Amino acid sequence: MVERVDSDGSGLRLEMTGVCKRFGATVALDDVGIEVAAGRVLALVGENGAGKSTLMKVLSGAIKPDAGQMRLDGEPYRPANPLEARRAGVAMIYQELSLTPHLSVEENIMLGMEPATLGVIHRKEVRRRAIEAISRFDNPELTPDARVGRLSVGSQQLVEIARALAIGCRVLVLDEPASSLTQQ
């Protein structure tokens, strides 16, 4: 296999080609392709109804494409569901945050991905991973023990991002990340 590279020589992290998706008579995606190099930030911009969210739902395993191919780090990629996508390193953060407000930052970051042996959660490892993830942000609100429901919306979004980083995501998709932020 010949590895395709970006203009700076880095390999493609993600490639989607010929992606199609219909919902009954409505064509949501028609032969869509996208390439993203490792370490790059890409903004997908378009009108409402243009298919942006549908394409990201295909990428994240939330919906199945009718046609097309995806490759992640050069390997075929076709997640059966969002959990499989997360395990492959693709994390999706939707407009509506999916946090549990009564749990701590630490618990939310590792929720569902807790390291455990025979059902016993390794609390020190959970804390270590959470601290490592939140240390990437200069935000005094983000402490492992802080209750997520008491955080600002912006800080809650950072918890979602920290969750993705803690599981080792290779592709992070933010669906309209500024829509729920206040002017402040």
Side-chain angles (χ1 to χ4, degrees):
M1 177 179 98
V2 176
E3 180 185 15
R4 297 186 54 200
V5 294
D6 191 46
S7 60
D8 71 352
S10 61
L12 289 179
R13 171 64 35 103
L14 170 69
E15 183 178 12
M16 300 174 80
T17 57
V19 178
C20 298
K21 181 63 184 175
R22 295 179 79 98
F23 296 101
T26 303
V27 177
L29 302 171
D30 185 18
D31 195 27
V32 175
I34 190 170
E35 294 180 347
V36 182
R40 296 290 189 182
V41 175
L42 177 73
L44 189 56
V45 181
E47 295 180 17
N48 286 340
K52 302 176 302 292
S53 291
T54 301
L55 185 65
M56 295 305 99
K57 287 177 182 176
V58 167
L59 172 63
S60 69
I63 61 175
K64 306 263 182 283
D66 297 328
Q69 295 183 348
M70 296 185 285
R71 298 181 81 70
L72 186 61
D73 289 326
E75 297 296 321
Y77 167 75
R78 193 170 187 97
N81 55 53
L83 180 59
E84 192 174 294
R86 286 184 78 81
R87 288 184 176 149
V90 176
M92 178 82 181
I93 299 176
Y94 294 98
Q95 285 177 254
E96 303 297 323
L97 301 177
S98 61
L99 299 171
T100 306
H102 68 278
L103 294 180
S104 70
V105 167
E106 174 181 312
E107 292 165 325
N108 268 279
I109 288 173
M110 296 305 298
L111 189 62
M113 304 297 277
E114 299 92 342
T117 303
L118 299 173
V120 177
I121 295 174
H122 303 291
R123 296 275 177 210
K124 287 182 181 178
E125 181 63 12
V126 167
R127 189 164 192 90
R128 184 193 69 73
R129 287 186 192 178
I131 289 170
E132 181 180 319
I134 62 177
S135 71
R136 298 176 185 206
F137 307 106
D138 184 24
N139 184 324
E141 251 192 314
L142 292 182
T143 63
D145 299 316
R147 291 283 162 233
V148 166
R150 296 187 184 138
L151 299 176
S152 67
V153 174
S155 292
Q156 289 180 21
Q157 284 184 322
L158 292 178
V159 172
E160 288 264 24
I161 294 169
R163 179 191 298 172
L165 296 174
I167 64 160
C169 82
R170 298 183 287 163
V171 175
L172 176 61
V173 179
L174 303 167
D175 185 23
E176 299 195 36
S179 65
S180 60
L181 297 179
T182 64
Q183 182 65 31
Q184 182 183 8

